[in-house]
Amino acid sequence: MRDIAHYLSGKTFVGGGNRYGDVFDPNTGKVQARVRLGGATEVAAAVDAAKAVQPEWAATNPQRRARVMFEFKRLLEAHMDDLAHMLSAEHGKVIADAKGDIQRGLEVIEFACGAPHLLKGDYTSNAGSGIDVYSMRVPLGVVAGITPFNFPAMIPMWMFGPAIAAGNAFILKPSERDPSLPVRLAELMTEAGLPDGVLNVVHGDKEAVDAILDHPDIKAVSFVGSSDIAHYVYQRGVAAGKRVQAMGGAKNHGIILPDADLDQTVADIMGAAFGSAGERCMALPVVVPVGEKTAEALRAKFVTAIAGLRVGASTDKDAHYGPVVTAAHKAKIENYIELGVQEGAELVVDGRGFRMQGLEDGFFVGPTLFDHVKPGMKTYQEEIFGPVLQMVRAESFEQALELPSKHQYGNGVAIFTRNGEAAREFAARVEVGMVGINVPIPVPLAYHTFGGWKRSAFGDVNQHGPEGFRFFTRIKTVTQRWPAGGPVSDQSFVIPTMK
Ligand code: NAD
């Protein structure tokens, strides 16, 4: 059985513990490897390694740090196929989608190549007589990232890209469900010229997370995962005096106005709802048609489109989506489908009991469509994170606007319409962090920032873009005066002002 170990100071690190987690092949349902689950000892070893090299890394000029990022980007491109297969083999997403996962992370690395420019401070010459003021962005020291299973390439890179380019040393605690790819990324960073110890990977579960949150020498924690855990990480991290950003779950709505191009809208929403088996925080699992006529037409088109979906092994080039990540997650999704029926929603297409020929034990869930879902239902209020599309009918624009605005999550939302005025008003008023206008998955590009509202994100600073650099640095402001000699000025006991 393959053993997946930690990565410390540029080498495989076994650590001292004796706990393991199973890593499945979601296509076959079989255990394919076991991952070591670290705890306080492994986290402490990683912090020690990081602390030892961070000052020198921070003192390396930013252009040289950026060159490591350029080389890492080149290596990602050169190894794209192998990386995508490795990712897909543990996650279950199809290869083309795995490449998208890596590419999205690579784009954050491209942005991080701009570190020399992004880290420049401000300068005011002659702020007072003979006085200059300047500010600089300085790294925090040792920082950590805790990531979810659903984007094992992109999300680690969201975090370690800007953090390392800014001069920090980084400890990554990836998801224990698909841990191989994050280690491979760390190896490629070493190959790209990153000094040993600047990027370390400690595998684990709650024990490793708690050790990170409690370690006094970790200055900031970036987390992405489900909301209850995000909230826990935020509270415990902040209580320990750390800077924390913690992104959580989602339930993104697609509002369809009567004037939308319905064929195009359905084509767009199919990928957003069912791509990656719905295991995306920017998936679109709720559609809100406005008006009965829109709802009826949309429902008929979805039924037809779903009949044309191909579910297959993650290596099947023609499959639209593959298995979900674990048997436990499959059971959770199927339980939500059962609950939806019990709550009185109409199950139009039932994906339960889906069996792949030749892969009967794989974690496959068929596409599922519910109609007449109501806001009071638990299956509407909670995140299912599977290939389940729910239709909530609205009578008016106002009612449709209210649904995502009042939902506990506020990650993404999309509106489909030909009416610019309505779209503009929707974007201005909706209580959600990322808005798409005829764009079903409005994930901002790497040079913008990513972050939801309400229970989709705790903390004030978004991921990547300029805010990524802001999160992983702090500002030092220097006020300097070089007296030219002459008479000693009078003592003053009044706060200096610019009166
Ligand atoms: P998860 O919350 O189960 O795990 C996330 C991380 O937390 C993992 O590293 C895991 O080991 C750790 N963890 C798990 N249980 C813990 C506990 N009790 N205490 C401390 N740490 C714990 O999330 P997941 O299932 O891996 O990922 C899916 C979730 O992530 C979904 O809710 C999805 O919406 C969310 N997500 C959000 C975003 C975003 O940017 N908002 C992006 C991707 C995924």
Side-chain angles (χ1 to χ4, degrees):
M1 175 82 53
R2 189 163 56 94
D3 218 68
I4 303 167
H6 317 287
Y7 188 78
L8 197 124
S9 292
K11 285 184 251 349
T12 295
F13 173 63
V14 170
N18 211 5
R19 291 195 313 125
Y20 294 89
D22 287 336
V23 178
F24 292 92
D25 173 350
N27 290 307
T28 62
K30 293 200 169 62
V31 176
Q32 58 167 314
R34 52 180 208 167
V35 59
R36 289 182 174 269
L37 300 178
T41 311
E42 289 72 22
V43 168
V47 173
D48 287 347
K51 261 172 69 179
V53 295
Q54 191 272 329
E56 198 180 332
W57 178 242
T60 306
N61 80 50
Q63 209 165 347
R64 282 184 199 277
R65 295 201 303 259
R67 280 185 196 145
V68 173
M69 294 296 162
F70 274 113
E71 178 58 9
F72 177 57
K73 169 184 138 55
R74 195 193 65 74
L75 289 170
L76 288 174
E77 282 162 345
H79 291 280
M80 181 62 88
D81 278 341
D82 294 349
L83 294 171
H85 278 87
M86 179 184 262
L87 190 163
S88 156
E90 290 180 359
H91 179 286
K93 62 176 78 175
V94 295
I95 302 292
D97 199 34
K99 287 185 181 171
D101 185 338
I102 298 161
Q103 177 64 27
R104 274 289 184 155
L106 186 154
E107 289 167 14
V108 175
I109 299 301
E110 274 175 342
F111 182 74
C113 290
H117 175 69
L118 291 159
L119 294 170
K120 281 193 301 197
D122 299 319
Y123 191 94
T124 304
S125 162
N126 237 14
S129 172
I131 295 178
D132 311 314
V133 182
Y134 63 93
S135 64
M136 48 184 139
R137 288 208 162 267
V138 295
L140 302 175
V142 178
V143 298
I146 300 162
T147 54
F149 82 85
N150 70 323
F151 280 100
M154 176 183 83
I155 295 179
M157 286 191 264
W158 276 4
M159 300 173 181
F160 75 65
I164 290 177
N168 299 282
F170 196 89
I171 293 160
L172 174 64
K173 205 303 283 170
S175 170
E176 64 277 36
R177 286 183 261 177
D178 44 11
S180 292
L181 202 273
V183 175
R184 186 70 191 119
L185 295 179
E187 287 171 356
L188 290 178
M189 283 289 278
T190 303
E191 202 177 321
L194 189 73
D196 292 348
V198 177
L199 174 57
N200 307 287
V201 182
V202 177
H203 299 293
D205 50 14
K206 178 173 165 47
E207 215 176 297
V209 170
D210 286 348
I212 287 171
L213 295 172
D214 294 345
H215 199 296
D217 293 332
I218 296 178
K219 301 299 178 201
V221 175
S222 180
F223 174 92
V224 177
S226 51
S227 287
D228 286 349
I229 299 176
H231 192 218
Y232 164 79
V233 164
Y234 182 74
Q235 286 185 318
R236 189 159 170 164
V238 166
K242 298 182 198 314
R243 186 179 286 188
V244 184
Q245 58 179 179
M247 275 56 195
K251 190 90 177 188
N252 307 321
H253 295 52
I255 312 300
I256 296 109
L257 298 191
D259 68 348
D261 176 340
L262 288 193
D263 287 325
Q264 185 61 55
T265 301
V266 168
D268 289 342
I269 292 178
M270 286 299 289
F274 298 107
S276 197
E279 294 170 317
R280 291 184 186 135
C281 68
M282 288 296 273
L284 209 156
V286 179
V287 284
V288 183
V290 176
E292 283 301 304
K293 222 174 121 198
T294 317
E296 289 302 326
L298 205 65
R299 172 176 165 155
K301 286 178 192 296
F302 273 126
V303 169
T304 308
I306 287 171
L309 267 184
R310 182 180 166 108
V311 184
S314 60
T315 45
D316 176 349
K317 283 193 182 61
D318 298 322
H320 294 111
Y321 73 84
V324 300
V325 69
T326 55
H329 192 51
K330 174 181 157 129
K332 184 177 157 192
I333 295 165
E334 294 195 338
N335 287 342
Y336 269 121
I337 298 174
E338 179 55 32
L339 179 63
V341 175
Q342 283 169 16
E343 288 182 317
E346 185 192 354
L347 184 56
V348 183
V349 183
D350 185 355
R352 286 173 298 177
F354 183 95
R355 292 273 170 278
M356 254 326 270
Q357 216 185 346
L359 294 171
E360 286 77 7
D361 295 329
F363 309 140
F364 296 93
V365 182
T368 298
L369 177 66
F370 274 109
D371 194 1
H372 299 288
V373 174
K374 304 285 181 223
M377 294 177 180
K378 211 171 159 201
T379 47
Y380 168 75
Q381 289 158 359
E382 297 181 2
E383 181 184 43
I384 299 175
F385 220 55
V388 180
L389 183 59
Q390 297 171 288
M391 196 176 320
V392 185
R393 297 178 178 223
E395 285 167 14
S396 63
F397 174 85
E398 284 301 324
Q399 206 188 7
L401 172 70
E402 202 176 74
L403 284 164
S405 296
K406 287 205 166 154
H407 202 279
Q408 63 162 329
Y409 296 118
N411 217 36
V413 71
I415 185 164
F416 297 86
T417 177
R418 290 185 171 99
N419 181 337
E421 196 183 342
R424 193 167 178 274
E425 182 177 346
F426 180 83
R429 289 174 58 199
V430 71
E431 296 276 317
V432 172
M434 292 173 280
V435 183
I437 297 175
N438 298 312
V439 172
I441 308 183
V443 179
L445 289 169
Y447 42 92
H448 287 270
T449 71
F450 182 107
W453 287 9
K454 297 177 281 182
R455 279 180 56 78
S456 292
F458 303 92
D460 303 319
V461 185
N462 275 0
Q463 294 281 352
H464 66 68
E467 296 218 347
F469 276 83
R470 221 183 103 204
F471 183 76
F472 288 114
T473 54
R474 54 187 166 172
I475 292 203
K476 183 178 280 182
T477 308
V478 179
T479 304
Q480 67 176 359
R481 179 167 70 143
W482 297 99
V488 174
S489 48
D490 292 341
Q491 291 186 10
S492 171
F493 297 92
V494 177
I495 177 90
T497 66
M498 292 304 294
K499 219 166 154 191

